[in-house]
Amino acid sequence: MTISAVSATTLREAPPPRRQRLLEDERWLAFVLLVPTIVLLGMFIAYPFIRGILLSVTSSRVGMPGDFVGLANFYKIFNDGIFRTSVYNTFLYTGVTTVFKLALGLWLAMLLNRNFHGKAFTRAFILLPFIIPTVLSTFAWKWMFDPTFSVLNWLLYHFGLITGRINWLGDPDLAMISIIIVNIWRGVPFFAISLLAGLQTISPELNEAAAIDGAKPWQRFWHITWPLLLPVTMVVVLFSVIQTFADFQIVYVMTGGGPANATHLFATYAYQIGIGTGLLSEGAAISLAMFPVLFLVVIIQLLYIRRVEVR
C-alpha cells in the first residue's frame, strides 16, 4: 500500500524545466559562462585585428575606402628607411630595457625579501612609478630632460661633470637612451613585485640547509633560488616583452618619434603614418608587421616555460 502511494507521488512530479536541465549540464553551463568573455574579446580584440588585416591590403585613406592592393603596402614599408629604423629601434628598445628591468627588478626583489623596518612602506613606495599614469610621469621626465630647464643638466653642471647644456632629446642617440631610461624606471617595479611574490614561495629552510652545508650566498642563489624562481621570471619577461615591443606612450610623449624620426618604434611610426598622414592602410601594415615577431616570441617563451615546469 505504501509502495503504491510513493510510486503514485513520483509519477505525479513534474520534470524540471528545459532551461534548468540545460544549466545542470556542465557543457552548457560552461558555454553560458564563456559567452560574455567571447563577446568582449570579439568586440575589442578580434574585430579590430581583422579590420586591421583588411585595411592593410587596401589603399584606404581617411575618408576613402580604397581598393584591394594585395601586399603592396607591405612591399612599400619594407623599402622605407624609416620603417627599417623603427624595426631596429624596437628590438634595441625591447632588448636593452628587458635586460635592465630584469636585473634591477631581481636585485630589488632580493632586498625587499629581507626583514627590515618600514618594509611595507618601502614596497608601497616602490610601486609608485607603476601606479602613476604613464603620460603624467613621462611629462615629468620630459621636463627633466629639457635642455634649458633640465634638473639633470643642473646637477651634472654643479658636480663639474659637464661644462654646457646637454640636449638630451635633440640628439638621436641621447634621445634613444632617454626613452630607454624612462621605460626602465617605469618597468622595474613590475619586475620587483612579481619576482618578490615568487621569492616568497621558496621555503627559507632550503637556503638554511644549504648554508649549514657550507654553500656561499652566490651558490645558494644559483643552485636553489634561481631554478625555483625561473618559471615566474619567464612569465614576467614574457609580459614585459609584449608590452615593451608595442610601447607607444613613453616615446610619443618624450620625442614623438624624433628627432628626425630617429626614435620611432613600430607603434609610433604606425600612428604617424596611419593617423598623422591619413594613410590608414600603410599604418595598418606597419602595425601588423610586428605581429609575426611577437607571435614567435610568445610561442618560444611559452614552450620554454612549459619545459621548465616539467623538469
PDB file of all heavy atoms in Angstrom, residues 67-85:
ATOM      1  N   ASP A  67      40.860  50.580 -52.677  1.00  0.00           N
ATOM      2  CA  ASP A  67      40.708  49.336 -53.435  1.00  0.00           C
ATOM      3  C   ASP A  67      41.689  48.285 -52.918  1.00  0.00           C
ATOM      4  O   ASP A  67      42.661  48.599 -52.232  1.00  0.00           O
ATOM      5  CB  ASP A  67      40.971  49.592 -54.925  1.00  0.00           C
ATOM      6  CG  ASP A  67      40.015  50.643 -55.486  1.00  0.00           C
ATOM      7  OD1 ASP A  67      38.812  50.565 -55.164  1.00  0.00           O
ATOM      8  OD2 ASP A  67      40.489  51.552 -56.197  1.00  0.00           O
ATOM      9  N   PHE A  68      41.422  47.057 -53.312  1.00  0.00           N
ATOM     10  CA  PHE A  68      42.307  45.958 -52.915  1.00  0.00           C
ATOM     11  C   PHE A  68      43.648  46.082 -53.658  1.00  0.00           C
ATOM     12  O   PHE A  68      43.680  46.194 -54.879  1.00  0.00           O
ATOM     13  CB  PHE A  68      41.649  44.616 -53.252  1.00  0.00           C
ATOM     14  CG  PHE A  68      42.493  43.433 -52.904  1.00  0.00           C
ATOM     15  CD1 PHE A  68      42.608  43.006 -51.592  1.00  0.00           C
ATOM     16  CD2 PHE A  68      43.188  42.743 -53.892  1.00  0.00           C
ATOM     17  CE1 PHE A  68      43.395  41.918 -51.252  1.00  0.00           C
ATOM     18  CE2 PHE A  68      43.981  41.650 -53.573  1.00  0.00           C
ATOM     19  CZ  PHE A  68      44.076  41.244 -52.247  1.00  0.00           C
ATOM     20  N   VAL A  69      44.760  46.067 -52.880  1.00  0.00           N
ATOM     21  CA  VAL A  69      46.096  46.201 -53.494  1.00  0.00           C
ATOM     22  C   VAL A  69      47.002  45.033 -53.122  1.00  0.00           C
ATOM     23  O   VAL A  69      48.208  45.071 -53.399  1.00  0.00           O
ATOM     24  CB  VAL A  69      46.749  47.535 -53.080  1.00  0.00           C
ATOM     25  CG1 VAL A  69      45.973  48.719 -53.624  1.00  0.00           C
ATOM     26  CG2 VAL A  69      46.900  47.630 -51.564  1.00  0.00           C
ATOM     27  N   GLY A  70      46.454  44.037 -52.457  1.00  0.00           N
ATOM     28  CA  GLY A  70      47.277  42.885 -52.083  1.00  0.00           C
ATOM     29  C   GLY A  70      48.328  43.247 -51.058  1.00  0.00           C
ATOM     30  O   GLY A  70      48.047  43.924 -50.067  1.00  0.00           O
ATOM     31  N   LEU A  71      49.576  42.815 -51.304  1.00  0.00           N
ATOM     32  CA  LEU A  71      50.672  43.045 -50.350  1.00  0.00           C
ATOM     33  C   LEU A  71      51.488  44.292 -50.701  1.00  0.00           C
ATOM     34  O   LEU A  71      52.622  44.441 -50.226  1.00  0.00           O
ATOM     35  CB  LEU A  71      51.580  41.814 -50.310  1.00  0.00           C
ATOM     36  CG  LEU A  71      50.911  40.502 -49.872  1.00  0.00           C
ATOM     37  CD1 LEU A  71      51.902  39.351 -49.936  1.00  0.00           C
ATOM     38  CD2 LEU A  71      50.337  40.623 -48.466  1.00  0.00           C
ATOM     39  N   ALA A  72      50.924  45.165 -51.514  1.00  0.00           N
ATOM     40  CA  ALA A  72      51.683  46.348 -51.953  1.00  0.00           C
ATOM     41  C   ALA A  72      52.099  47.233 -50.781  1.00  0.00           C
ATOM     42  O   ALA A  72      53.203  47.807 -50.787  1.00  0.00           O
ATOM     43  CB  ALA A  72      50.840  47.153 -52.956  1.00  0.00           C
ATOM     44  N   ASN A  73      51.250  47.351 -49.782  1.00  0.00           N
ATOM     45  CA  ASN A  73      51.605  48.196 -48.631  1.00  0.00           C
ATOM     46  C   ASN A  73      52.794  47.617 -47.868  1.00  0.00           C
ATOM     47  O   ASN A  73      53.668  48.355 -47.409  1.00  0.00           O
ATOM     48  CB  ASN A  73      50.401  48.325 -47.692  1.00  0.00           C
ATOM     49  CG  ASN A  73      49.315  49.186 -48.298  1.00  0.00           C
ATOM     50  OD1 ASN A  73      49.593  50.197 -48.926  1.00  0.00           O
ATOM     51  ND2 ASN A  73      48.064  48.776 -48.132  1.00  0.00           N
ATOM     52  N   PHE A  74      52.828  46.278 -47.735  1.00  0.00           N
ATOM     53  CA  PHE A  74      53.945  45.640 -47.039  1.00  0.00           C
ATOM     54  C   PHE A  74      55.235  45.808 -47.842  1.00  0.00           C
ATOM     55  O   PHE A  74      56.302  46.044 -47.279  1.00  0.00           O
ATOM     56  CB  PHE A  74      53.644  44.151 -46.796  1.00  0.00           C
ATOM     57  CG  PHE A  74      52.521  43.926 -45.831  1.00  0.00           C
ATOM     58  CD1 PHE A  74      51.233  43.719 -46.277  1.00  0.00           C
ATOM     59  CD2 PHE A  74      52.758  43.933 -44.462  1.00  0.00           C
ATOM     60  CE1 PHE A  74      50.195  43.514 -45.384  1.00  0.00           C
ATOM     61  CE2 PHE A  74      51.733  43.733 -43.564  1.00  0.00           C
ATOM     62  CZ  PHE A  74      50.449  43.522 -44.024  1.00  0.00           C
ATOM     63  N   TYR A  75      55.132  45.670 -49.154  1.00  0.00           N
ATOM     64  CA  TYR A  75      56.313  45.856 -50.006  1.00  0.00           C
ATOM     65  C   TYR A  75      56.835  47.290 -49.879  1.00  0.00           C
ATOM     66  O   TYR A  75      58.039  47.530 -49.814  1.00  0.00           O
ATOM     67  CB  TYR A  75      55.933  45.552 -51.461  1.00  0.00           C
ATOM     68  CG  TYR A  75      57.076  45.713 -52.419  1.00  0.00           C
ATOM     69  CD1 TYR A  75      58.076  44.739 -52.525  1.00  0.00           C
ATOM     70  CD2 TYR A  75      57.171  46.853 -53.229  1.00  0.00           C
ATOM     71  CE1 TYR A  75      59.139  44.900 -53.394  1.00  0.00           C
ATOM     72  CE2 TYR A  75      58.229  47.016 -54.106  1.00  0.00           C
ATOM     73  CZ  TYR A  75      59.201  46.039 -54.184  1.00  0.00           C
ATOM     74  OH  TYR A  75      60.262  46.204 -55.043  1.00  0.00           O
ATOM     75  N   LYS A  76      55.897  48.233 -49.797  1.00  0.00           N
ATOM     76  CA  LYS A  76      56.295  49.640 -49.705  1.00  0.00           C
ATOM     77  C   LYS A  76      56.987  49.948 -48.384  1.00  0.00           C
ATOM     78  O   LYS A  76      58.020  50.625 -48.348  1.00  0.00           O
ATOM     79  CB  LYS A  76      55.045  50.520 -49.855  1.00  0.00           C
ATOM     80  CG  LYS A  76      55.345  52.005 -49.900  1.00  0.00           C
ATOM     81  CD  LYS A  76      54.069  52.793 -50.144  1.00  0.00           C
ATOM     82  CE  LYS A  76      54.369  54.293 -50.195  1.00  0.00           C
ATOM     83  NZ  LYS A  76      53.131  55.077 -50.410  1.00  0.00           N
ATOM     84  N   ILE A  77      56.447  49.430 -47.276  1.00  0.00           N
ATOM     85  CA  ILE A  77      57.054  49.770 -45.984  1.00  0.00           C
ATOM     86  C   ILE A  77      58.405  49.070 -45.801  1.00  0.00           C
ATOM     87  O   ILE A  77      59.298  49.594 -45.134  1.00  0.00           O
ATOM     88  CB  ILE A  77      56.114  49.435 -44.807  1.00  0.00           C
ATOM     89  CG1 ILE A  77      55.830  47.943 -44.733  1.00  0.00           C
ATOM     90  CG2 ILE A  77      54.837  50.241 -44.871  1.00  0.00           C
ATOM     91  CD1 ILE A  77      55.100  47.512 -43.472  1.00  0.00           C
ATOM     92  N   PHE A  78      58.572  47.872 -46.406  1.00  0.00           N
ATOM     93  CA  PHE A  78      59.865  47.201 -46.270  1.00  0.00           C
ATOM     94  C   PHE A  78      60.963  47.934 -47.041  1.00  0.00           C
ATOM     95  O   PHE A  78      62.150  47.709 -46.788  1.00  0.00           O
ATOM     96  CB  PHE A  78      59.761  45.746 -46.751  1.00  0.00           C
ATOM     97  CG  PHE A  78      59.005  44.866 -45.797  1.00  0.00           C
ATOM     98  CD1 PHE A  78      58.082  43.940 -46.251  1.00  0.00           C
ATOM     99  CD2 PHE A  78      59.208  44.981 -44.422  1.00  0.00           C
ATOM    100  CE1 PHE A  78      57.380  43.139 -45.367  1.00  0.00           C
ATOM    101  CE2 PHE A  78      58.511  44.191 -43.529  1.00  0.00           C
ATOM    102  CZ  PHE A  78      57.588  43.265 -44.002  1.00  0.00           C
ATOM    103  N   ASN A  79      60.580  48.789 -47.973  1.00  0.00           N
ATOM    104  CA  ASN A  79      61.571  49.615 -48.682  1.00  0.00           C
ATOM    105  C   ASN A  79      61.655  51.014 -48.081  1.00  0.00           C
ATOM    106  O   ASN A  79      62.276  51.894 -48.677  1.00  0.00           O
ATOM    107  CB  ASN A  79      61.184  49.719 -50.163  1.00  0.00           C
ATOM    108  CG  ASN A  79      61.396  48.404 -50.886  1.00  0.00           C
ATOM    109  OD1 ASN A  79      62.505  47.902 -50.973  1.00  0.00           O
ATOM    110  ND2 ASN A  79      60.314  47.813 -51.367  1.00  0.00           N
ATOM    111  N   ASP A  80      61.033  51.207 -46.958  1.00  0.00           N
ATOM    112  CA  ASP A  80      61.037  52.507 -46.295  1.00  0.00           C
ATOM    113  C   ASP A  80      62.158  52.536 -45.252  1.00  0.00           C
ATOM    114  O   ASP A  80      62.195  51.695 -44.340  1.00  0.00           O
ATOM    115  CB  ASP A  80      59.669  52.713 -45.627  1.00  0.00           C
ATOM    116  CG  ASP A  80      59.557  54.056 -44.936  1.00  0.00           C
ATOM    117  OD1 ASP A  80      60.554  54.810 -44.936  1.00  0.00           O
ATOM    118  OD2 ASP A  80      58.482  54.363 -44.385  1.00  0.00           O
ATOM    119  N   GLY A  81      63.068  53.500 -45.367  1.00  0.00           N
ATOM    120  CA  GLY A  81      64.197  53.598 -44.448  1.00  0.00           C
ATOM    121  C   GLY A  81      63.749  53.872 -43.012  1.00  0.00           C
ATOM    122  O   GLY A  81      64.349  53.360 -42.060  1.00  0.00           O
ATOM    123  N   ILE A  82      62.720  54.686 -42.857  1.00  0.00           N
ATOM    124  CA  ILE A  82      62.237  54.991 -41.501  1.00  0.00           C
ATOM    125  C   ILE A  82      61.642  53.754 -40.852  1.00  0.00           C
ATOM    126  O   ILE A  82      61.801  53.525 -39.651  1.00  0.00           O
ATOM    127  CB  ILE A  82      61.200  56.135 -41.544  1.00  0.00           C
ATOM    128  CG1 ILE A  82      61.820  57.383 -42.161  1.00  0.00           C
ATOM    129  CG2 ILE A  82      60.697  56.454 -40.143  1.00  0.00           C
ATOM    130  CD1 ILE A  82      60.829  58.517 -42.354  1.00  0.00           C
ATOM    131  N   PHE A  83      60.967  52.912 -41.660  1.00  0.00           N
ATOM    132  CA  PHE A  83      60.415  51.671 -41.104  1.00  0.00           C
ATOM    133  C   PHE A  83      61.541  50.751 -40.633  1.00  0.00           C
ATOM    134  O   PHE A  83      61.453  50.156 -39.550  1.00  0.00           O
ATOM    135  CB  PHE A  83      59.563  50.966 -42.154  1.00  0.00           C
ATOM    136  CG  PHE A  83      59.076  49.618 -41.711  1.00  0.00           C
ATOM    137  CD1 PHE A  83      58.043  49.507 -40.797  1.00  0.00           C
ATOM    138  CD2 PHE A  83      59.674  48.462 -42.195  1.00  0.00           C
ATOM    139  CE1 PHE A  83      57.602  48.266 -40.372  1.00  0.00           C
ATOM    140  CE2 PHE A  83      59.239  47.221 -41.781  1.00  0.00           C
ATOM    141  CZ  PHE A  83      58.200  47.124 -40.871  1.00  0.00           C
ATOM    142  N   ARG A  84      62.612  50.664 -41.422  1.00  0.00           N
ATOM    143  CA  ARG A  84      63.730  49.807 -41.000  1.00  0.00           C
ATOM    144  C   ARG A  84      64.367  50.349 -39.727  1.00  0.00           C
ATOM    145  O   ARG A  84      64.766  49.584 -38.845  1.00  0.00           O
ATOM    146  CB  ARG A  84      64.751  49.698 -42.135  1.00  0.00           C
ATOM    147  CG  ARG A  84      64.264  48.882 -43.328  1.00  0.00           C
ATOM    148  CD  ARG A  84      65.422  48.443 -44.206  1.00  0.00           C
ATOM    149  NE  ARG A  84      66.032  49.575 -44.872  1.00  0.00           N
ATOM    150  CZ  ARG A  84      65.665  50.039 -46.064  1.00  0.00           C
ATOM    151  NH1 ARG A  84      64.666  49.445 -46.714  1.00  0.00           N
ATOM    152  NH2 ARG A  84      66.269  51.075 -46.610  1.00  0.00           N
ATOM    153  N   THR A  85      64.455  51.687 -39.625  1.00  0.00           N
ATOM    154  CA  THR A  85      64.961  52.278 -38.379  1.00  0.00           C
ATOM    155  C   THR A  85      64.036  51.948 -37.210  1.00  0.00           C
ATOM    156  O   THR A  85      64.501  51.662 -36.094  1.00  0.00           O
ATOM    157  CB  THR A  85      65.067  53.815 -38.540  1.00  0.00           C
ATOM    158  OG1 THR A  85      65.924  54.106 -39.640  1.00  0.00           O
ATOM    159  CG2 THR A  85      65.623  54.455 -37.287  1.00  0.00           C
TER     160      THR A  85
END
